[in-house]
Amino acid sequence: MSTVERLIESTRELLWERGYTGTSPKAIQQRAGAGQGSMYHHFAGKPDLALAAIQRTAGEMRAKAEAQFSAPGTAVDRIAAYLHRERDVLKGCPMGRLTQDPDVMADPALRAPVDETFAWLRARLAELMAEGRERGELDAALDPQATAATVVATLQGGYVLARAAGSVQPFDQAITGVLGLLAAHVPTAHE
């Protein structure tokens, strides 16, 4: 792994673990095994490196989600696969955790990829639900945009509840609950 890659990966890990404020240039350099000169040769400073790390995390999250969203199956099957995929629940969502960081939210450049990722996720889920309605997999009364926002809010809230409890149980319960609400919009065979 190149020095640039080590710096970006180390920053990603530290942002997830400690947040922006708790991630010092020295901690990044130590974790990456890179000197100060190397860091500042490749990046203008901590904000520049943090932006590269956040953009990489956003890209990976989208790619992982899209793998489930574009797989075969009904819209509900694909959404369920996304919600049930393996996650480090007690660490929280790497993007969701950034919303709790005042320094990230105060910086338009750092906030943008976070906002764009959640906007993409809501839009992509809404597309899947609209597709499900068109195929007759979901009833016409379902509002794809509102339901997509509910799914994302439940997922993020599930992380918060799990971290507060120190247990994945509240996360799993939230996912089961939102999938139950979605299943209520699946027409039965005799309809």
Side-chain angles (χ1 to χ4, degrees), residues 75-92:
V76 174
D77 289 342
R78 291 179 281 159
I79 293 166
Y82 165 72
L83 293 173
H84 284 301
R85 80 166 190 232
E86 190 172 325
R87 292 176 162 83
D88 194 346
V89 172
L90 294 180
K91 276 184 81 176

Side-chain angles (χ1 to χ4, degrees), residues 55-77:
Q55 288 171 330
R56 168 116 11 119
T57 298
E60 283 188 9
M61 287 183 65
R62 287 183 190 195
K64 285 180 182 177
E66 189 56 42
Q68 270 105 25
F69 295 158
S70 60
T74 67
V76 174
D77 289 342

Side-chain angles (χ1 to χ4, degrees), residues 93-102 104-105 114-115 118 156:
C93 172
M95 296 304 279
R97 293 214 38 205
L98 292 172
T99 67
Q100 301 303 310
D101 194 312
V104 172
M105 292 296 100
V114 177
D115 181 41
F118 285 121
Q156 290 302 310

Side-chain angles (χ1 to χ4, degrees), residues 6-190:
R6 288 195 322 271
L7 286 165
I8 292 171
E9 288 303 311
S10 296
T11 303
R12 288 178 60 193
E13 292 167 6
L14 288 165
L15 286 172
W16 196 8
E17 293 168 14
R18 302 178 183 182
Y20 184 81
T21 303
T23 300
S24 68
K26 184 175 182 170
I28 295 167
Q29 293 160 21
Q30 286 176 337
R31 184 160 301 186
Q36 184 175 356
S38 292
M39 181 175 150
Y40 290 104
H41 172 75
H42 296 290
F43 299 95
K46 178 180 161 181
D48 188 37
L49 182 51
L51 180 59
I54 293 167
Q55 288 171 330
R56 168 116 11 119
T57 298
E60 283 188 9
M61 287 183 65
R62 287 183 190 195
K64 285 180 182 177
E66 189 56 42
Q68 270 105 25
F69 295 158
S70 60
T74 67
V76 174
D77 289 342
R78 291 179 281 159
I79 293 166
Y82 165 72
L83 293 173
H84 284 301
R85 80 166 190 232
E86 190 172 325
R87 292 176 162 83
D88 194 346
V89 172
L90 294 180
K91 276 184 81 176
C93 172
M95 296 304 279
R97 293 214 38 205
L98 292 172
T99 67
Q100 301 303 310
D101 194 312
D103 291 324
V104 172
M105 292 296 100
D107 184 326
L110 296 177
R111 186 180 65 245
V114 177
D115 181 41
E116 290 163 7
T117 299
F118 285 121
W120 174 86
L121 182 57
R122 288 188 313 271
R124 192 66 181 93
L125 284 164
E127 286 173 15
L128 278 173
M129 291 177 204
E131 177 188 313
R133 280 188 352 178
E134 290 168 18
R135 290 181 174 177
E137 299 165 359
L138 291 166
D139 68 47
L142 179 110
D143 179 335
Q145 286 77 28
T147 306
T150 301
V151 169
V152 174
T154 302
L155 179 64
Q156 290 302 310
Y159 281 118
V160 170
L161 295 174
R163 286 177 54 81
S167 165
V168 299
Q169 192 271 338
F171 179 90
D172 293 341
Q173 189 175 35
I175 297 309
T176 299
V178 80
L179 287 172
L181 294 172
L182 196 54
H185 289 278
V186 174
T188 58
H190 65 276

